[in-house]
Amino acid sequence: MKPSRKCSYSEHFHNFFRSFHCRKLSFTSNTTNPGTPPVPGKANWVYTEATQVSTLRELLQSCARNRAATGGKACHGQIVRVGLQADTLISNMLINMYSKCGLVECARNVFDEMPVRSLISWNTMIGSCTQNGDGGESLGLFVCMQREGARFSEFTISGVLCACAAKCAVLECKQLHAFALKAAMDSNMFVATALLGVYAKSSFIEDASRIFECMPERSAVTWSSMIAAYVQNDLYEEALVLFQRAQTIGLENNQFSMSSVVSACANLAALIEGSQMHAVILKSGLESNIFVASSLIELYAKCGIIREAYTVFSSVEEKNVVLWNAMISGFSKHACCIEAMISFEKMQQMGICPNEITYVSVLSVCGHMGLVEKGWRYFDMMRKEHNLSPNVLHYSCMADVLGRAGLICEARHLLERMPFDATASMWGSLLSSCRIHGNTEIAEVAARHLFEIEPNNAGNHVLLSNTYAATKKWDEVARTRKLLKDSEAKKERGKSWIEVKNKVHIFMVGERSHPRIAKIYSRLEDLLEEMKKLDYKVCTEYDLHDVEEIRKQELLRHHSEKLALTFGLMSLPSCAPIRIMKNLRICGDCHTFMKLASKITAREIIIRDTNRFHHFQNGVCSCGDFW
Ligand code: ZN
Ligand code: ZN
């Protein structure tokens, strides 16, 4: 016996019209009035109805599956022609087909014309609006449904909840939650998973977590949703703990949970855990999934191992724009400018269209390389060749391109002219450019904006003071210091962390409690002595504390990243690069210190601060002293 096989869409369509043609012939030969359409209820209709209805249903399914709007519309025409438009099941299928093809209005027309609606009709229509981005309409339909007294199921509630998630409509979600409680549906897996999704997306992570913990049973989707929820809300450690729990109950890994958990490792810069996840991924055969692969690229790039990121990238055969973006962004963050540019060209050669995210990376590379003309060219190309309108990030990158190249006035004008309000980070970047190029006049303008947007961020005072220090305006440095003292702004305490033998060691500025702290301080003193031979002096102007010069020197000498580095030198094998994370921007003194340390110790030092990566090797930093 021949094995049965599913017809392709085109085969279906071809067969349908062929059979319809034959049937039409048979009508003609059987009716008394040849050529007139068949009348439901008459003998000839009864004969053909069953076969015709089943063919139409099959065809509608096929059109829905293949998102074939033209074929679907032809089917609809046929349905009307043979008078089947009042059939509830057929109408439901039409709604589904139109919704899959993105034609919500057509779906809605069918829905509105239905003389009798089943529950499925409501659910399909609600789902259709949600999928096509009209969450408001979904909610409206649910209200209508209640007014008409139609019965709802757990699928209705979860469908409407998905609409709430899309709109982050937490108030409506809470009402639906109450509704589900009243109908005793709140612990249903579909409803609870959907509730969890809305709360997580609206940053009500505690509510999401409570729902998860109260669920009597959970599917793989529920587990992955909760892990993803933690990642979305920057609770990376919680995501890892939950993943461990999922492992202990033997839950099978899927691409959603794996990409979330790798992304959590990336954000924690937890290389060891991340590599373990990589092994799990290889074991589960998920390595070629685009989302898993791009989060692995993100992991290795964020942990400072760009080579490994590239290995993951190369191993995926079918690369889409998500994957290219992950790689180009990795290159760009590591100041591997040539590699980023080559990848940008190559992706286009492969027929992949760059999107907004690609352009952010490419423009930031132009900034690094000081390519003003090329930056403008890409900025225009976005609109003209790829029909993308530049968003706030693109303007920010472009301002950076200009600022870094010393075109401070142009950068300022771009920020003032653009169709959005400039963000704090944009003014901050302009202020950095002013420091590098010694433009105190525009630095003051940028600082004024910064003080207004972020009155409590002491880091901005530091940036301005550094600009004055760079131009040796010591009176102004003193004035900025006084301004900081009088303002409400509080300086966040510097904190760095380093992973050694599976353990994260955290160092605060002036750390006292680490078990090996005495040894660390003495080793640091030795290192500073060696640096003095290379003409290194502690630059106290980078410190804004209102204290004696001596105390200031001490504070600077004991900045957290210096302590973390010393601990790394003491504890890691001599060939291993030292990777440090920092909660604030690295200061100018630590930056010089790290450059010299990389030279004296012949070690690769990678520091990720709040702004960027600094890759120190043999006395130079990848940022080109711009941060
Ligand atoms: Zn420092
Ligand atoms: Zn640097």
Side-chain angles (χ1 to χ4, degrees), residues 396 399-401 403-404 424-434 450 463 585 611 626-627:
S396 169
D400 208 39
V401 172
R404 278 168 176 255
S425 85
M426 287 162 124
W427 290 118
S429 165
L430 184 65
L431 191 46
S432 288
S433 305
C434 293
L450 279 171
L463 273 177
R585 239 175 230 247
N611 211 33
F626 193 104
W627 72 95

Side-chain angles (χ1 to χ4, degrees), residues 157-178:
I157 304 271
S158 56
V160 186
L161 280 168
C162 288
C164 296
K167 283 166 63 90
C168 282
V170 82
L171 189 70
E172 287 82 351
C173 167
K174 286 195 168 172
Q175 287 170 346
L176 281 161
H177 192 171

Side-chain angles (χ1 to χ4, degrees), residues 424 427-429 431-432 435 447 450-451 454-467 480 484 487-493 542 544 583-587 610 627:
W427 290 118
S429 165
L431 191 46
S432 288
R435 173 176 61 84
L450 279 171
F451 295 158
E454 302 180 328
N456 293 322
N457 185 349
N460 296 328
H461 292 265
V462 180
L463 273 177
L464 179 63
S465 159
N466 288 351
T467 314
T480 318
L484 173 62
S487 79
E488 296 283 288
K490 286 279 163 289
K491 204 169 175 292
E492 195 183 339
R493 241 185 123 191
Y542 289 117
L544 286 195
N583 69 335
L584 305 170
R585 239 175 230 247
I586 186 169
C587 80
T610 43
W627 72 95

Side-chain angles (χ1 to χ4, degrees), residues 542 555-556 559-562 582 585-591:
Y542 289 117
L555 279 171
L556 264 177
H559 269 185
S560 60
E561 56 270 57
K562 291 187 178 111
K582 156 121 208 194
R585 239 175 230 247
I586 186 169
C587 80
D589 181 61
C590 288
H591 200 264

